[in-house]
Amino acid sequence: METAHKEASGVTKTEEAPNYLNHESGIWSWLTTLDHKRIGIMYAWAVAFFFLVGGLLALAVRMELFGPGETIMGPDAYNQTFTLHGIIMIFLFLVPATPAVLGNFVLPIQLGAKDVAFPRLNLASWYIYMIGAFTAIAAILLGDIDTGWTFYAPYSLQQGSAVIIMTASVFVIGFSSILTGMNMIVTIHKMRAPGLTWNRLPLFVWSIYATSIVQILATPVIGITMLLLIFEQVLQIGIFDPALGGDPILFQHFFWFYSHPAVYIMILPGFGIISELIATFSRHRVFGYRAIALSSVAIAMLGFLVWGHHMFVSGQSAVSSIIFSLITFLIGIPSGIKIFNWIATMYKGSIWLQTPMLYALSFLFLFTIGGLTGIVVGVLALDIHLHDTYFVVGHFHYVMMGGMVMALLGGVHYWWPKMTGRMYNETAGKIAVALIFVGFNLTFFSQLIMGTKGMPRRYYDYLEQFTALHQVSTIGSWILAAGLFLVMGYGLYSLVRGKKAPANPWGAATLEWTNVAAIPDPHNFKRTPLVTRGPYDFHLADEVFGGGDGAGDGAAVRAPDAAPPAPEPKTAQ
Amino acid sequence: MATDTAVATPEADESHAHHPPHLQHHFVSSEQQFDSAKLGMWLFLITEILLFSGMFVAYTVYRAWHPEAFTEASATLDWVLGGVNTLVLLGSSFTVALSIHFAQKDDRMKAFWNLIATLALAGVFMVIKYFEWTAKFEHGVFPAGFFDPHGGYYETLASIPYTGQFFSIYFVMTGIHGLHVLIGMGVIGWIAWRTFRGHFSSEYYTPIEITGLYWHLVDIIWIFLFPLLYLV
Amino acid sequence: MVSALLAQSNSVWLPTDASTLAPEYDSLFYFVLWTSVVIFVGVVAAMVWFAYKYRRQSPDERPELVEESKLMEISWVVIPTILVLIVFTWGFRAFIKFGVAPPDAYQIDVRAQQWSWLFTYPDGTQSSELHVPVDRPVRLKMNSTDVLHSFAVPAFRIKQDVLPNRYSYVWFESTKTGTFKVYCTEYCGTQHSGMLADVVVQSQSDFEQWLQEAGTPEDMPLPELGQRVYQQQGCQACHSLDGSRMVGPTLQNAYGTERQFADGSSTVADENYLRQSILNPGERVVEGYQNVMPASYSSLSDRQVNALVAFIKEQSDAAEGTTAANSSQPPLQGSAAQ
Ligand code: HEA
Ligand code: HEA
Ligand code: CUA
Ligand SMILES: [Cu+2]
């Protein structure tokens, strides 16, 4: 860092100001970097790669289901395909995606900090993630992982050594998740810029805070569960294996004790992104800021008490089912508070329908469907018929793909200029949103319908009566894929040829836009900022509006020097 | 300390001009760095507790289902050895606390020797554990799937169903705890070496302090394991 | 039969209802569905309207602050809370009904295994099809011999996991005669999607007559009995009779031909070999196949095994003394999921 620093301070005089991307070069400088921004970018590559792989597997799943009987692969291949699709999408893509990519890149800057609290741990967590990912790939190459992403015993115990390696990989990736969560919490507590009180934290920060709590409290449990499963296979400890006196239901309790909170690890950061997008593109203070911030924490806490709703027909006791169902409903209430507050934020705003905002609106549409279908399966009696049907598959794709991935795409578009220093093509962006939105609904709404009709999930083959709906779903997946490949295409193009981005293209009012250069400095800020207003107080944010002669986008403002320097270091606690 | 690391310095290139060598550049002050490290360690300890709580749940469930098997099987564990180990760990917690105390007082060698004492006590703990485990293996007492007790009073276990499960849980819990002891020994050894080299002082003793926190946790977990496995 | 199902299911959402529990289920479902639709439409309409009404007019527009309204914030906490409490109570009551079988229910034992169902009646009759009398509560006592399975009949709106280490129960009272599908809805490996069965709902008298005929009568000729056992025990889930390869080797021409084993040895399949393969399948594993055939068949009676052997022998050209029984054989169904 020291040498890099000298370079940055004027030894090299290139025409471009030194920034975090160009102040050091070479692959080695990336692999050994401690800069949170670069680590975020490295995560971005890895995560995008696994999204692509998981998505291609999904297309194969859909292709196979185009008609009953064998279409492109046999039953064993199919079972492995959906298993890998689920494992990759959850553990390698969606759980790490937002905290590790956007959390890493954006959060310290939003706090006015130079870096996260533990940069070395941050880099270590990337390496741990990569080790876990390679272990997973090794397991896939060894073949024969067809347990579903849930690894239910005793079926998973019958399968070969590849399952052991895959569970080991989940165990390892869990560590990376824990380390990221720890880092974020400490950063939020200890690294805030002077004047940045808890009531002035951007909502994205609040959401990452809630996410990190869940990561820390839930992930160790999946760790020990996977470990016990491995011991069960290798040492035959008889905890889960009924043949040795163990109890397969206990495995399900352990698994869902992590995996239900994990769905909130996935969605909470999305809530944060949506708050940022709606505030910025409505140019309005977020309605009910406190309610949104605290509802994230409420969801994080309640999320620990509902895992049994995955087990209503498993044979768990009726009393526990009843309690789990009741608490499940309670989660709908803080979620509703968010939805309604976001809509209220748009009221009398100044709404600018750029691509990120279109993703945010898609999110509201799709997540509401996803959440309400979640309520449907949370009803004790209704879940009996719907459990393990395509209705559940529809539900979770509406929340994960329709909710979280939309939020993630919106966030990536929103922060793209800051991360890369370049703009993407707005028209292409809008076309892609349209394709994704239409394709998504075709793919998964048809699944909700066939699910209520009784179509079970994880079925390689099906009765003829479901053919039409399956075909609609498959065709939808092609439209959806076209949209996503378009995003990948113009994204890559923008990296090479994109228009140079201004420091604050959206006229946003949080620190990463107002106080940081177009491409951030290696140390983020020229001076530690002094925060004097809330994150969405556009009525106070004169620096965003400058002379008012911009393109409506704040481009006219040279923000980096606008904030006054901090007077006293002691106020930062 | 913190006064000479002013954030208010206008130019970025001066901001690390003078600060104590241990202070990482992204922190504003030593206090901030120390508090961060400590909070981070506490969070880590929480994850450790949750890791073990999974096993405590398994223990509770199976104990509730097969109370008789658990009492019988637990009677074959030697509570004297377990008790000695408890005292050994308690002692090591004490020495590690002392070493923090001496580090704060700038008494480098005393801090060092207390760390070495901690290391030695941890070693004693592991040796006793080793003998306990091998004594069980000799009599075919393995996790459930390989459970085949023979010889001496172990014969009786063979006739009681589910005693194997007790030993599964016993081996897994003490095994993972033992692994934590080994990791702790590695870290303490390293910290002791750094203490000896004079890396720490009353100004900067964070690594000793957080290692101590970790070691207390290892100790506390044993304090739960001992009565649950040996006594109840 | 498929077309019969199609004809019956005329609504967009749920399938035919054919049990006493179904109407109750459906009204709850539609209540939740329509409430959700109302909330959803409200949310989307407001969102679209605002996006249009308050679209940005000029680049430097700075909208007025909006006062936060406590009343609104409270209303969107209270109204959803009331709604979910209604739905919870309703769902809870229905759930209790699903859980508690009437005391006079007719009990049938169910054995699940990879990848077939076996139903055993109080008189010992076994069948791979579930036959039940209409308008009479039926309670199933279920157990699995290997991994988890789940017994589901969408037309009855019932589902219950089947576990290897304990019994689980499910009950229903069907209201319509006809044939409905049983699905396995807990993932259980390769043929999970083929683990289907039919529920045949009959009038009480038809049912009793079927029960009479479906037993394993003493006087039935062995090959014919073998065919029945072959279907009852779910052999067809893994073994075809037409030469096609499934999870296990085909039984066409199995008898009398040379078998290659994974350990390199080989033998010509005779009656003894067939018997051993059924009773102790793991002993010699045919090359190119996995050792997944259930060991549970060792509990078949002698007569059943003899019958199976006779039946398999009949599937072979090499078998001398093949009788006319062969030609009168009705067409066999393969895996049900076509
Ligand atoms: C990002 C991931 C995510 C999220 C956010 C959720 C959110 C929710 N989920 Fe979902 N769920 C999954 C991912 C997720 N889920 C996955 C992956 C599975 C399947 C796993 C597997 O088996 O493979 C699953 C399965 C699953 C089941 C088990 C189904 C079964 O297997 O039979 C249940 C049952 O209760 C459930 C319920 C809920 C509920 C109540 C919510 C709530 O949090 C939703 C809250 C939101 C709203 C309610 C909408 C907004 C609110 C309003 C507009 C206000 C008005 C509302 C009311 C009046 C209530 N989910
Ligand atoms: C994050 C979670 C996630 C996501 C995003 C998806 C996305 C998709 N999923 Fe899946 N899915 C799961 C999680 C997810 N899924 C899980 C957990 C299961 C359960 C598994 C189990 O039962 O064990 C499941 C199961 C599942 C099934 C049921 C299989 C069965 O039960 O038999 C089906 C069937 O249609 C399906 C389809 C799809 C489709 C068509 C998509 C599409 O949305 C995919 C579209 C994506 C692409 C086409 C790739 C394009 C990507 C790029 C071009 C990369 C470029 C990068 C950027 C743009 C940044 N999924
Ligand atoms: Cu049996 Cu799925
Ligand atoms: Cu859940």
Side-chain angles (χ1 to χ4, degrees):
Chain A
M1 287 316 281
E2 285 302 314
T3 49
H5 190 76
K6 257 181 231 130
E7 231 183 303
S9 57
V11 179
T12 49
K13 269 263 181 301
T14 46
E15 65 242 84
E16 222 175 340
N19 60 47
Y20 88 99
L21 288 171
N22 69 6
H23 78 117
E24 283 176 314
S25 58
I27 185 92
W28 192 243
S29 79
W30 281 86
L31 290 179
T32 57
T33 185
L34 296 180
D35 182 346
H36 68 100
K37 300 181 286 302
R38 286 186 161 211
I39 295 173
I41 300 288
M42 295 202 295
Y43 263 116
W45 281 106
V47 159
F49 172 75
F50 284 111
F51 182 41
L52 178 62
V53 176
L56 294 177
L57 289 166
L59 293 179
V61 164
R62 286 293 354 141
M63 194 59 227
E64 169 54 39
L65 294 175
F66 194 72
E70 179 164 334
T71 313
I72 55 168
M73 54 178 129
D76 283 319
Y78 177 81
N79 294 342
Q80 291 173 27
T81 310
F82 79 70
T83 300
L84 295 181
H85 165 67
I87 294 177
I88 289 178
M89 283 296 195
I90 301 264
F91 295 113
L92 289 167
F93 167 57
L94 206 54
V95 168
T98 315
V101 178
L102 295 177
N104 247 327
F105 191 96
V106 176
L107 182 129
I109 316 189
Q110 285 194 330
L111 292 176
K114 281 187 194 152
D115 208 320
V116 292
F118 310 116
R120 249 173 291 169
L121 215 56
N122 202 14
L123 182 63
S125 83
W126 184 78
Y127 277 102
I128 295 174
Y129 169 82
M130 292 310 280
I131 292 171
F134 280 113
T135 320
I137 290 171
I140 293 170
L141 295 181
L142 266 171
D144 280 6
I145 301 167
D146 65 346
T147 58
W149 80 283
T150 48
F151 300 110
Y152 272 14
Y155 184 72
S156 59
L157 298 172
Q158 293 181 347
Q159 307 304 303
S161 54
V163 174
I164 301 185
I165 300 176
M166 187 55 98
T167 42
S169 142
V170 171
F171 179 78
V172 171
I173 293 169
F175 270 103
S176 138
S177 181
I178 290 177
L179 294 184
T180 308
M182 273 169 51
N183 224 332
M184 294 297 160
I185 291 193
V186 177
T187 308
I188 295 169
H189 269 278
K190 302 290 177 195
M191 309 287 284
R192 280 172 285 135
L196 190 54
T197 58
W198 287 91
N199 281 325
R200 287 179 181 166
L201 283 185
L203 285 167
F204 180 68
V205 175
W206 269 106
S207 74
I208 293 285
Y209 188 70
T211 310
S212 305
I213 295 178
V214 187
Q215 279 178 305
I216 286 189
L217 295 182
T219 318
V221 178
I222 191 80
I224 189 69
T225 310
M226 293 293 123
L227 214 55
L228 288 177
L229 197 65
I230 294 172
F231 287 158
E232 185 73 74
Q233 283 217 357
V234 182
L235 306 174
Q236 305 195 2
I237 54 175
I239 304 280
F240 301 139
D241 189 352
L244 298 171
D247 184 19
I249 305 268
L250 190 66
F251 176 82
Q252 298 179 20
H253 279 295
F254 276 28
F255 182 83
W256 291 114
F257 184 85
Y258 165 76
S259 292
H260 183 84
V263 312
Y264 297 114
I265 297 179
M266 296 181 239
I267 197 73
L268 285 171
F271 292 157
I273 297 175
I274 296 300
S275 302
E276 300 290 316
L277 297 183
I278 293 197
T280 299
F281 290 94
S282 304
R283 212 172 259 174
H284 226 195
R285 193 198 265 173
V286 170
F287 192 91
Y289 167 92
R290 248 163 213 271
I292 291 197
L294 295 179
S295 60
S296 287
V297 181
I299 292 175
M301 293 301 159
L302 285 175
F304 280 99
L305 305 174
V306 304
W307 75 87
H309 66 203
H310 296 271
M311 300 166 59
F312 287 159
V313 300
S314 70
Q316 78 178 354
S317 83
V319 178
S320 19
S321 290
I322 290 162
I323 297 168
F324 283 126
S325 167
L326 184 62
I327 307 176
T328 299
F329 289 137
L330 297 185
I331 293 192
I333 291 159
S335 312
I337 293 177
K338 283 177 190 290
I339 302 267
F340 298 130
N341 278 320
W342 286 324
I343 304 272
T345 305
M346 292 170 66
Y347 175 67
K348 290 197 174 163
S350 163
I351 294 166
W352 193 24
L353 289 178
Q354 293 296 85
T355 307
M357 184 62 169
L358 292 177
Y359 278 111
L361 298 184
S362 308
F363 172 95
L364 289 180
F365 184 103
L366 301 173
F367 179 75
T368 306
I369 297 185
L372 291 170
T373 52
I375 296 292
V376 175
V377 282
V379 182
L380 282 166
L382 295 186
D383 189 54
I384 294 178
H385 171 59
L386 296 173
H387 174 69
D388 270 345
T389 64
Y390 264 82
F391 191 86
V392 176
V393 177
H395 155 65
F396 67 72
H397 283 92
Y398 262 94
V399 273
M400 295 203 290
M401 176 80 196
M404 189 52 219
V405 177
M406 292 296 148
L408 179 61
L409 286 171
V412 168
H413 282 81
Y414 178 62
W415 280 297
W416 184 266
K418 191 61 48 183
M419 297 169 102
T420 65
R422 294 180 187 268
M423 300 303 291
Y424 56 86
N425 184 319
E426 188 60 43
T427 319
K430 285 181 174 147
I431 295 174
V433 179
L435 286 173
I436 293 173
F437 183 79
V438 171
F440 178 85
N441 281 300
L442 282 178
T443 312
F444 293 108
F445 203 81
S446 45
Q447 298 190 356
L448 292 177
I449 298 178
M450 67 175 115
T452 55
K453 289 193 171 304
M455 170 74 209
R457 63 190 279 208
R458 296 172 169 173
Y459 261 34
Y460 151 78
D461 192 1
Y462 53 84
L463 299 181
E464 230 143 279
Q465 51 169 323
F466 297 113
T467 313
L469 285 165
H470 269 300
Q471 283 176 353
V472 172
S473 179
T474 302
I475 293 169
S477 74
W478 298 335
I479 302 176
L480 174 58
L484 286 164
F485 276 100
L486 180 57
V487 175
M488 182 171 81
Y490 69 70
L492 291 175
Y493 180 84
S494 151
L495 284 183
V496 199
R497 289 279 169 80
K499 205 160 59 105
K500 287 239 155 40
N504 188 0
W506 318 117
T510 42
L511 290 177
E512 80 275 28
W513 300 107
T514 57
N515 285 44
V516 170
I519 308 182
D521 184 81
H523 296 305
N524 298 345
F525 299 95
K526 289 259 159 44
R527 308 161 183 168
T528 303
L530 172 68
V531 180
T532 54
R533 58 167 169 79
Y536 314 113
D537 287 343
F538 288 91
H539 59 293
L540 302 176
D542 292 327
E543 78 272 20
V544 174
F545 294 93
D549 53 351
D553 51 8
V557 193
R558 280 183 321 282
D561 312 313
E568 268 303 311
K570 285 201 198 83
T571 43
Q573 24 147 315
Chain B
M1 257 177 310
T3 45
D4 52 349
T5 61
V7 266
T9 356
E11 286 307 314
D13 50 45
E14 281 176 24
S15 65
H16 358 193
H18 8 255
H19 55 55
H22 63 259
L23 182 63
Q24 289 173 300
H25 85 280
H26 61 286
F27 287 115
V28 173
S29 65
S30 293
E31 283 93 339
Q32 191 188 26
Q33 177 168 339
F34 178 65
D35 290 351
S36 300
K38 222 165 146 180
L39 179 60
M41 195 62 199
W42 276 109
L43 292 172
F44 178 71
L45 297 187
I46 292 176
T47 68
E48 289 280 13
I49 289 173
L50 280 150
L51 186 87
F52 277 94
S53 69
M55 289 179 284
F56 281 115
V57 168
Y59 172 89
T60 317
V61 168
Y62 286 107
R63 178 164 196 113
W65 285 356
H66 317 300
E68 192 211 358
F70 270 54
T71 340
E72 288 296 322
S74 141
T76 66
L77 295 181
D78 188 341
W79 67 268
V80 177
L81 287 182
V84 170
N85 254 350
T86 310
L87 293 179
V88 166
L89 272 195
L90 279 176
S92 73
S93 258
F94 181 63
T95 50
V96 89
L98 278 182
S99 76
I100 298 169
H101 171 77
F102 287 119
Q104 283 167 336
K105 291 249 152 104
D106 270 329
D107 198 337
R108 181 167 64 93
M109 283 324 278
K110 277 197 182 145
F112 170 73
W113 282 113
N114 271 299
L115 285 172
I116 295 297
T118 313
L119 206 55
L121 288 169
V124 172
F125 178 89
M126 288 312 290
V127 169
I128 294 183
K129 247 318 17 115
Y130 170 82
F131 284 116
E132 284 191 80
W133 274 37
T134 44
K136 292 284 171 291
F137 292 161
E138 269 168 24
H139 293 280
V141 175
F142 289 111
F146 303 102
F147 193 59
D148 172 30
H150 52 76
Y153 51 88
Y154 293 106
E155 297 290 2
T156 53
L157 293 182
S159 58
I160 308 171
Y162 302 113
T163 42
Q165 241 161 8
F166 173 85
F167 285 101
S168 296
I169 292 174
Y170 167 76
F171 284 122
V172 170
M173 289 184 105
T174 55
I176 295 185
H177 178 262
L179 186 68
H180 279 78
V181 174
L182 285 178
I183 293 173
M185 288 171 73
V187 176
I188 291 172
W190 179 59
I191 294 294
W193 183 77
R194 287 187 62 189
T195 311
F196 184 72
R197 300 288 305 264
H199 288 188
F200 306 125
S201 65
S202 58
E203 300 245 305
Y204 176 62
Y205 55 89
T206 319
I208 310 187
E209 166 114 23
I210 62 173
T211 309
L213 278 178
Y214 171 83
W215 193 251
H216 292 322
L217 177 90
V218 172
D219 189 9
I220 288 169
I221 288 177
W222 178 255
I223 296 206
F224 279 95
L225 287 181
F226 171 60
L228 286 181
L229 294 171
Y230 289 74
L231 301 181
V232 194
Chain C
M1 198 258 321
V2 166
S3 55
L5 266 182
L6 255 186
Q8 284 168 327
S9 55
N10 41 15
S11 105
V12 177
W13 292 98
L14 294 163
T16 347
D17 57 341
S19 79
T20 50
L21 297 168
E24 167 124 19
Y25 182 95
D26 295 4
S27 44
L28 175 55
F29 179 82
Y30 283 114
F31 175 76
V32 180
L33 180 71
W34 287 113
T35 317
S36 302
V37 168
V38 169
I39 295 173
F40 172 71
V41 169
V43 166
V44 171
M47 169 183 106
V48 171
W49 173 243
F50 292 165
Y52 171 75
K53 178 86 193 295
Y54 304 112
R55 65 194 180 279
R56 188 166 297 178
Q57 310 281 359
S58 80
D60 50 3
E61 195 173 72
R62 289 174 85 172
E64 294 285 297
L65 280 188
V66 172
E67 273 299 306
E68 300 204 351
S69 147
K70 278 274 160 310
L71 186 71
M72 268 213 295
E73 293 198 53
I74 291 174
S75 71
W76 61 54
V77 172
V78 172
I79 296 174
T81 310
I82 295 174
L83 285 175
V84 295
L85 288 180
I86 296 175
V87 169
F88 168 74
T89 323
W90 191 342
F92 162 71
R93 292 177 154 200
F95 185 69
I96 299 297
K97 276 193 198 152
F98 273 84
V100 183
D104 59 338
Y106 180 73
Q107 179 156 315
I108 300 172
D109 284 359
V110 180
R111 186 200 69 191
Q113 76 176 24
Q114 286 168 320
W115 292 280
S116 64
W117 299 98
L118 179 71
F119 303 99
T120 308
Y121 293 80
D123 68 354
T125 305
Q126 293 194 320
S127 162
S128 60
E129 257 180 9
L130 177 59
H131 285 249
V132 293
V134 72
D135 291 331
R136 177 158 174 205
V138 174
R139 181 173 188 255
L140 305 180
K141 175 174 163 228
M142 308 187 290
N143 188 232
S144 158
T145 60
D146 37 47
V147 299
L148 304 177
H149 302 274
S150 189
F151 179 91
V153 183
F156 300 163
R157 314 282 189 273
I158 55 166
K159 179 173 294 141
Q160 179 63 50
D161 281 9
V162 184
L163 307 164
N165 60 334
R166 61 174 97 144
Y167 291 111
S168 55
Y169 303 89
V170 69
W171 82 277
F172 58 87
E173 180 179 338
S174 42
T175 52
K176 287 184 185 145
T177 56
T179 305
F180 307 99
K181 271 284 169 226
V182 177
Y183 297 86
C184 174
T185 51
E186 184 65 80
Y187 177 70
C188 56
T190 312
Q191 285 297 328
H192 167 57
S193 61
M195 191 166 158
L196 310 182
D198 285 335
V199 202
V200 182
V201 183
Q202 294 166 310
S203 67
Q204 182 72 29
S205 56
D206 286 356
F207 171 71
E208 268 158 22
Q209 193 188 349
W210 172 83
L211 201 58
Q212 285 286 312
E213 288 166 3
T216 44
E218 284 301 315
D219 51 352
M220 192 182 247
L222 276 186
E224 208 175 303
L225 179 63
Q227 179 184 343
R228 179 173 284 180
V229 178
Y230 169 82
Q231 282 177 324
Q232 283 174 352
Q233 299 290 332
C235 313
Q236 77 274 22
C238 304
H239 296 287
S240 76
L241 298 176
D242 59 3
S244 61
R245 185 195 160 106
M246 295 170 73
V247 174
T250 180
L251 294 182
Q252 188 186 43
N253 288 331
Y255 175 82
T257 52
E258 170 119 351
R259 319 306 294 167
Q260 284 290 338
F261 300 111
D263 61 9
S265 63
S266 70
T267 188
V268 173
D270 55 11
E271 291 179 328
N272 269 323
Y273 166 75
L274 291 180
R275 188 183 170 81
Q276 274 328 105
S277 301
I278 297 168
L279 293 178
N280 191 358
E283 197 174 73
R284 279 183 294 180
V285 176
V286 182
E287 186 166 21
Y289 292 89
Q290 248 108 64
N291 181 16
V292 293
M293 177 161 157
S296 61
Y297 296 120
S298 54
S299 63
L300 291 178
S301 74
D302 245 11
R303 191 172 139 77
Q304 281 172 312
V305 177
N306 290 341
L308 277 172
V309 170
F311 171 68
I312 296 170
K313 204 170 147 188
E314 255 191 3
Q315 307 306 314
S316 197
D317 307 334
E320 61 329 337
T322 330
T323 54
N326 216 357
S327 51
S328 66
Q329 181 181 303
L332 286 162
Q333 282 163 354
S335 146
Q338 310 160 7

